Amino acid sequence: MSAKIIDGAQLAMDIRRDLSRRVESLEAASGVTPGLAVVLVGDDPASRVYVANKTRACKAVGIRSVLHRLDADVEQDSIIAIIKALNEDPSVHGILVQLPLPPWIQSRPVLEAISVEKDVDGFHLYNVGGLVLGDAIFSPCTPYGVVKLLESVGISVDGQNVVIVGASNIVGKPMAHMLMTRDATVAICHAKTRDLAQFTILADILVVAAGVPNLILPQMVKTGAVVIDVGINRMADGRLVGDVDFEALVKKASYITPVPGGVGPMTVTMLLENTYLSALRSQGALVNRAGNAASGDEAFYASGR
Ligand code: NAD
C-alpha cells in the first residue's frame, strides 16, 4: 500500500486565494479591512520567525497587521493595558499574543484580557468552553487546520476511532473536542501513557502532536490508517521532521501528512480565516464556521452573542 499524501501547502494556498477574494468583497461592500494585532514579548528567535510568517501571510491576503513588540522585562500590567486598548480599537478584529511568554509573565491573565470577539487564536476560557460544548466562536488554528485537511480529502471522522498523541492545551485537547463534536470516538495519549502502541494500533485516524521525532513507528499503526503528523522537530543536521516515521508509514497508511508541507501551512491559514470571520462579524453578519451566512443555533453561537 502506498499512502496518498495530504498536501497542506497546496490546500493552504487554495484557501488563501479564496480568502483574498472574500477580503476584497468585504472591503468593497463595507469599506472594512480585516485587521490583526500581534503582540510579541521578548526576543525568542523562533517566535520572531513565527510572527514574521504570520504578518507576511496577512499581507498576502489583504489583511492589515500591526505588530506590537515589547521588551522581555515589560510589566504584565502594561501588556494587559495594550490588549485592552486593542479591544477598543474598531480597526482591529483579531488579537494574537505570541506564545510562549517569558516565564515571569503569567499567560492566563494576559490571554483572558483579549476580548472574546477578537480571540482569533481561540485560547480565551470562553472559547475553550465553547469548544467543549461544540460551539466555539473561534476554533484554535492548528486543530482547525487538521479538520480542514481531513475534509479536503473527503475523510469523515463520524464513528471513526481517533487516537491523539499529545494532550497540550493548544493542540491535543482542542483537537479531541473538535473531533468528538464531529462524532468520532476519541482517545488521548500523553507522555505518561503506558504502552502507547496498544492505543495507536486501534486508530482509524491517528493525530500525533508530541514533539518527539520517530515516536510513531510502523508497527504501532494499523494498515490503512490515516496519519496526521502535527509535530515539528529540527534535527541536528538542520532537517525539519515530524513525530512519525514518514518513510515507513507512507507504505502502510492510506493517507499521511508530510512535514514540512502538511499541518504547518494550515495553522497560519486558519488564523487568517478567523481574522476575516471576526471582521465579518463586526459588520453584524451571522456566520458559521465555513464563513457563510448561518441560521439558528449555529448563527447564535458563531456571532458571539
Ligand atoms: P507540548 O510540549 O505543549 O505538548 C506535548 C504533548 O505531547 C504533551 O501532552 C506530552 O505529554 C505529549 N508527549 C510528549 N512526549 C510523549 C511521548 N513520548 N509519548 C506520548 N506523548 C508524549 O507541545 P505542543 O505545543 O502541543 O506541540 C506538539 C508538537 O506539535 C511540537 O512538535 C510542536 O512544534 C508541534 N506544533 C506544530 C504546529 C503546526 O502548526 N504544525 C502547531 C503547534 C505545535
Side-chain angles (χ1 to χ4, degrees):
M1 172 168 243
S2 181
K4 294 203 175 79
I5 311 283
I6 308 179
D7 188 344
Q10 181 63 49
L11 179 62
M13 248 163 50
D14 293 346
I15 295 176
R16 289 184 199 191
R17 200 173 304 121
D18 181 59
L19 190 55
S20 11
R21 274 198 294 271
R22 285 183 281 149
V23 167
E24 253 179 52
S25 311
L26 177 66
E27 274 177 338
S30 65
V32 168
T33 304
L36 176 70
V38 181
V39 178
L40 173 62
V41 183
D43 244 353
D44 178 62
S47 291
R48 279 192 359 223
V49 171
Y50 292 142
V51 164
N53 284 344
K54 288 168 187 172
T55 49
R56 207 174 24 242
C58 280
K59 195 166 177 214
V61 298
I63 291 177
R64 199 176 58 84
S65 71
V66 183
L67 175 59
H68 295 263
R69 278 189 76 161
L70 308 172
D71 291 338
D73 60 2
V74 66
E75 297 277 335
Q76 183 164 305
D77 286 350
S78 308
I79 307 177
I80 291 176
I82 289 172
I83 291 173
K84 286 190 170 157
L86 293 170
N87 285 342
E88 299 303 319
D89 182 343
S91 71
V92 171
H93 305 100
I95 303 171
L96 178 153
V97 175
Q98 183 64 39
L99 299 176
L101 289 168
W104 49 91
I105 294 172
Q106 290 175 279
S107 57
R108 245 316 127 201
V110 171
L111 295 177
E112 295 318 323
I114 299 173
S115 115
V116 172
E117 286 77 19
K118 298 189 179 185
D119 175 39
V120 284
D121 250 344
F123 293 156
H124 190 285
L125 273 182
Y126 186 95
N127 274 319
V128 176
L131 207 61
V132 174
L133 299 178
D135 294 307
I137 295 177
F138 295 111
S139 301
C141 301
T142 300
Y144 190 11
V146 171
V147 167
K148 288 281 177 192
L149 282 168
L150 292 170
E151 284 175 1
S152 75
V153 289
I155 295 169
S156 163
V157 302
D158 189 327
Q160 300 290 299
N161 286 346
V162 176
V163 177
I164 300 170
V165 181
S168 71
N169 290 340
I170 64 166
V171 189
K173 286 184 203 164
M175 183 86 259
H177 287 296
M178 290 178 78
L179 296 179
M180 257 191 291
T181 298
R182 289 163 175 80
D183 292 327
T185 302
V186 178
I188 312 184
C189 304
H190 46 75
K192 295 200 173 170
T193 299
R194 279 181 285 122
D195 191 2
L196 186 60
Q198 72 170 324
F199 292 94
T200 57
I201 199 78
L202 295 177
D204 302 313
I205 301 172
L206 180 63
V207 181
V208 191
V212 181
N214 276 324
L215 177 64
I216 304 298
L217 302 171
Q219 61 269 29
M220 300 165 72
V221 180
K222 185 167 78 173
T223 301
V226 174
V227 178
I228 306 290
D229 192 353
V230 183
I232 302 178
N233 307 288
R234 176 76 65 186
M235 305 305 274
D237 61 7
R239 272 180 316 129
L240 217 52
V241 301
D243 289 351
V244 314
D245 179 351
F246 181 86
E247 298 307 326
L249 275 164
V250 78
K251 299 188 190 111
K252 194 171 185 189
S254 56
Y255 287 87
I256 191 165
T257 57
V259 177
V263 178
M266 290 301 291
T267 295
V268 177
T269 304
M270 299 336 288
L271 171 72
L272 305 176
E273 182 77 36
N274 278 348
T275 305
Y276 163 77
L277 285 181
S278 181
L280 200 59
R281 284 189 196 115
S282 74
Q283 297 306 292
L286 297 180
V287 287
N288 64 17
R289 282 191 203 92
N292 302 316
S295 59
D297 276 357
E298 189 174 27
F300 176 81
Y301 289 110
S303 69
R305 283 166 221 182

